[in-house]
């Protein structure tokens, strides 16, 4: 049974802004955003025809874990393109970003914002090249894609509530990009290189540096070497 109620709107600054004023288990689906945003204050550019949505949930103890739930749900919904998840929650196809996620806590709510490029994608991107479903020959209605994502997310949420993060971690690693390979992680004021050993039971990135020491990284941008 679907617990979510979808509210479609034409225009908003961002679906996360709109979602702040909605009841729990609402989903905002917008035709257009005038001021979409991503992680670390970055701009999220998304044209009409793309999927722009936000889910409203009661604020949990570990909001961070929900980025893994939603990234899994999106990856599963476009599994036909063999997507990979770049830690913690960017979804890439052939090394190009096709979807992004932004979690925000507002009062007693967790707002899960996400965007999937369906019809078009930005050309000038700072960190990763972008792509869209149409570029890969896939014609998908955003309403249908949203329903698939919500269904998969609800399943992941119930799995997490029943079995904890360990099962989610195993599912996530099936889609993870670069496990066992050499990566660079850009931190706030520096960067670190090493072998990506996966994530621990808290979703923290584990990296073995060039001195053989295991580093735990809670935030950063991952790049393949």
């Amino acid at each position: 049974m679907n617990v979510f109620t979808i509210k479609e709107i034409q225009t908003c600054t961002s679906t996360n802004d709109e979602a702040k004023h909605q009841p729990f288990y609402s989903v905002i689906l917008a035709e257009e955003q005038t001021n979409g945003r991503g992680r670390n204050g970055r701009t999220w550019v998304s044209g009409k025809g793309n999927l722009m949505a936000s889910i409203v949930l009661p604020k949990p103890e570990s909001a961070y874990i929900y980025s893994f739930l939603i990234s899994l749900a999106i990856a599963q919904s476009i599994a036909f393109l063999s997507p990979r998840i770049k830690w913690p929650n960017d979804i890439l196809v052939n090394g190009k970003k096709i979807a992004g996620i932004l979690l925000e806590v507002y009062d007693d709510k967790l707002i899960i914002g996400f965007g999937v490029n369906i019809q078009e994608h930005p050309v000038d991107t700072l960190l990763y090249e972008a792509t869209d479903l149409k570029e890969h020959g896939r014609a998908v209605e955003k309403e249908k894609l949203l329903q698939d994502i919500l269904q998969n997310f609800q399943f992941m949420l119930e799995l997490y509530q029943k079995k904890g993060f360990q099962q989610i971690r195993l599912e996530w690693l099936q889609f993870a990009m670069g496990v066992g390979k050499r990566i660079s992680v850009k931190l706030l004021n520096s960067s670190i290189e090493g072998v990506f050993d996966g994530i621990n039971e808290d979703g923290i990135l584990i990296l073995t540096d060039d001195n053989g020491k295991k580093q735990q990284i809670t935030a950063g941008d991952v790049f393949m070497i």
Side-chain angles (χ1 to χ4, degrees):
M1 185 179 71
N2 192 347
V3 300
F4 300 107
T5 301
I6 299 173
K7 178 181 178 181
E8 296 188 45
I9 59 176
Q10 279 297 310
T11 303
C12 62
T13 54
S14 78
T15 55
N16 271 24
D17 289 341
E18 188 71 24
K20 290 175 181 178
H21 311 292
Q22 302 299 323
F24 296 141
Y25 304 106
S26 298
V27 178
I28 300 299
L29 173 63
E31 183 68 22
E32 182 180 28
Q33 288 186 137
T34 58
N35 191 28
R37 58 185 182 273
R39 286 195 306 129
N40 300 322
R42 300 184 186 116
T43 300
W44 177 265
V45 179
S46 188
K48 289 185 177 181
N50 291 343
L51 174 58
M52 296 161 273
S54 293
I55 302 170
V56 185
L57 293 176
K59 184 176 72 174
E61 273 190 32
S62 300
Y64 176 71
I65 296 299
Y66 282 63
S67 67
F68 295 92
L69 304 181
I70 188 64
S71 61
L72 259 175
I74 295 173
Q76 291 167 340
S77 300
I78 57 170
F80 48 80
L81 290 180
S82 300
R84 310 305 292 175
I85 304 175
K86 179 175 73 69
W87 181 88
N89 57 26
D90 285 338
I91 293 91
L92 279 61
V93 173
N94 294 336
K96 297 181 178 182
K97 187 170 177 176
I98 200 166
I101 293 161
L102 176 65
L103 271 64
E104 295 181 313
V105 172
Y106 180 77
D107 291 340
D108 59 345
K109 297 173 181 175
L110 173 65
I111 311 297
I112 302 176
F114 55 96
V116 182
N117 296 330
I118 296 177
Q119 294 288 341
E120 59 182 66
H121 63 270
V123 176
D124 299 319
T125 53
L126 294 176
L127 294 178
Y128 272 79
E129 289 186 73
T131 188
D132 59 64
L133 290 168
K134 185 178 179 181
E135 188 172 55
H136 293 272
R138 297 287 183 162
V140 179
E141 293 292 331
K142 62 183 176 184
E143 291 82 4
K144 172 64 168 61
L145 180 58
L146 177 60
Q147 290 287 359
D148 290 345
I149 291 171
L150 292 177
Q151 183 175 354
N152 286 326
F153 177 71
Q154 186 172 331
F155 178 82
M156 286 296 136
L157 184 57
E158 291 171 356
L159 182 64
Y160 172 58
Q161 290 168 342
K162 290 175 183 175
K163 298 192 174 182
F165 183 66
Q166 181 57 23
Q167 188 62 41
I168 300 299
R169 174 181 172 274
L170 295 174
E171 296 276 350
W172 187 91
L173 286 170
Q174 298 296 314
F175 286 94
M177 183 185 81
V179 176
K181 297 182 180 179
R182 194 167 174 79
I183 63 171
S184 172
V185 184
K186 183 181 178 183
L187 308 175
L188 187 60
N189 296 310
S190 63
S191 62
I192 184 172
E193 293 184 5
V195 176
F196 180 24
D197 290 329
I199 59 174
N200 68 11
E201 62 278 2
D202 297 313
I204 293 170
L205 185 149
I206 305 299
L207 178 145
T208 301
D209 66 21
D210 294 338
N211 296 317
K213 183 179 180 181
K214 289 194 180 295
Q215 304 280 355
Q216 296 191 4
I217 299 172
T218 57
D221 290 305
V222 173
F223 299 89
M224 300 302 300
I225 297 178

